[in-house]
């Protein structure tokens, strides 16, 4: 099912755009924030496309320059661990958040260079926001006769700035997929074992999590 495989691969692509998003004051328009962030990321990598294709460290470096300001790393980590976050020590919480972020970058950072031919459009008529949360609807233009892929970014105010904490591709929650996969790992081997696998850069674990195509529409409520 090639079409499904393409859509699964959009999850890490969308996550990387999520990570690269710049912060905005809470009174600013989240849809405009996402549009500006996507444009800036693609412009930087397309201007150095040959290097991006040949030098994974260059792509990772571009991502790392922008990573912390635009994503609620701890908030995303808390949602992924769900009830296990409350049982974790503060040290384990910090280690999980850092290891999760770093493993994602290493596993999928270089993939962004393979998607520079695709355009991403913000669909403002399908976007919405209130004081607590914003959902910015976008679509990835696949081309070659393929249907476009619907991607929604979820943001919420953190210390007066809009930050992204989840992304949904074709109704599949990035946070939900990882929650399901990691919960299995924790129930079998414990939280500490999961953290150690991430700290060791276990790409297979991340790939399995993305492959678990498990819709989860309640990530924002946990």
């Amino acid at each position: 099912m090639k079409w499904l495989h393409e859509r699964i691969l959009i999850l890490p692509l969308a996550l990387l755009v999520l990570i690269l998003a710049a912060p905005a004051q809470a009174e600013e328009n989240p849809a405009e924030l996402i549009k500006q962030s996507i444009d800036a990321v693609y412009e930087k990598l397309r201007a150095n496309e040959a290097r991006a294709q040949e030098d994974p460290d260059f792509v990772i470096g571009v991502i790392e320059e922008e990573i912390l300001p635009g994503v609620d790393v701890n908030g995303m980590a808390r949602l992924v661990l769900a009830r296990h976050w409350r049982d974790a020590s503060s040290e384990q919480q910090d280690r999980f958040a850092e290891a999760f972020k770093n493993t994602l970058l290493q596993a999928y950072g270089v993939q962004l260079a393979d998607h520079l031919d695709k355009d991403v459009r913000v669909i403002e008529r399908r976007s919405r926001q209130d004081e607590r949360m914003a959902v910015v609807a976008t679509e990835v233009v696949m081309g070659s006769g393929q249907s476009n892929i619907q991607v929604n970014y979820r943001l919420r105010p953190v210390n007066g700035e809009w930050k992204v904490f989840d992304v949904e591709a074709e109704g599949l929650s990035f946070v939900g997929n990882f929650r399901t996969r990691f919960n299995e790992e924790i129930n079998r081997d414990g939280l500490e074992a999961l953290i150690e696998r991430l700290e060791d850069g276990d790409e297979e674990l991340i790939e399995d999590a993305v492959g678990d195509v498990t819709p989860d529409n309640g990530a924002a409520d946990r």
Side-chain angles (χ1 to χ4, degrees):
M1 299 177 68
K2 182 179 179 181
W3 68 270
L4 181 57
H5 180 67
E6 287 281 347
R7 279 149 175 72
I8 292 171
L9 287 179
I10 289 299
L11 275 173
L13 167 65
L15 174 75
L16 291 173
V17 176
L18 173 159
I19 288 173
L20 288 160
Q25 297 300 311
E27 64 267 17
E28 295 183 18
N29 186 338
E32 186 62 27
L33 160 67
I34 294 296
K35 182 179 186 304
Q36 291 174 354
S37 300
I38 291 171
D39 290 346
V41 170
Y42 274 72
E43 180 180 355
K44 182 177 292 186
L45 290 180
R46 284 170 177 165
N48 299 276
E49 186 169 357
R51 186 178 178 187
Q53 294 287 345
E54 298 173 1
D55 186 358
D57 289 338
F58 168 70
V59 180
I60 293 295
V62 171
I63 295 171
E64 288 179 333
E65 287 176 6
E66 307 288 346
I67 187 169
L68 291 180
V71 61
D72 182 8
V73 175
N74 284 337
M76 184 168 64
R78 179 176 59 82
L79 290 172
V80 167
L81 287 185
R83 61 186 176 84
H84 299 293
W85 181 266
R86 296 188 294 272
D87 298 331
S89 67
S90 59
E91 179 193 21
Q92 287 178 316
Q93 291 172 352
D94 291 342
R95 287 172 57 210
F96 174 78
E98 183 69 13
F100 181 52
K101 176 194 69 178
N102 289 339
T103 305
L104 289 174
L105 286 172
Q106 292 299 322
Y108 293 117
V110 295
Q111 287 195 15
L112 188 57
D114 296 329
H115 294 280
L116 297 181
D117 61 327
K118 297 178 176 63
D119 292 322
V120 182
R121 300 170 180 166
V122 173
I123 313 298
E124 294 200 32
R125 68 178 183 279
R126 294 209 315 265
S127 302
R128 63 186 187 277
Q129 74 176 91
D130 56 29
E131 294 181 354
R132 298 178 55 207
M133 189 175 72
V135 178
V136 178
T138 73
E139 62 180 11
V140 180
V141 182
M142 299 298 292
S144 302
Q146 300 181 70
S147 59
N148 295 342
I149 297 176
Q150 308 304 311
V151 178
N152 293 336
Y153 295 92
R154 293 181 176 270
L155 305 88
R156 60 185 172 192
V158 177
N159 297 325
E161 295 179 342
W162 285 109
K163 292 195 176 186
V164 183
F165 68 93
D166 194 13
V167 58
E168 295 176 352
E170 296 288 275
L172 305 178
S173 164
F174 182 88
V175 164
N177 285 341
F178 277 99
R179 180 192 296 126
T180 298
R181 183 67 178 90
F182 287 173
N183 187 63
E184 295 172 357
E185 292 287 322
I186 294 170
N187 289 340
R188 185 178 63 246
D189 299 321
L191 175 60
E192 183 63 26
L194 171 65
I195 295 173
E196 290 178 359
R197 287 188 70 183
L198 292 175
E199 289 176 332
D200 290 339
D202 192 331
E203 295 181 11
E204 181 180 356
L205 176 63
I206 302 298
E207 291 169 357
D208 287 346
V210 172
D212 281 337
V213 191
T214 305
D216 186 336
N217 295 322
D221 300 324
R222 300 178 187 171

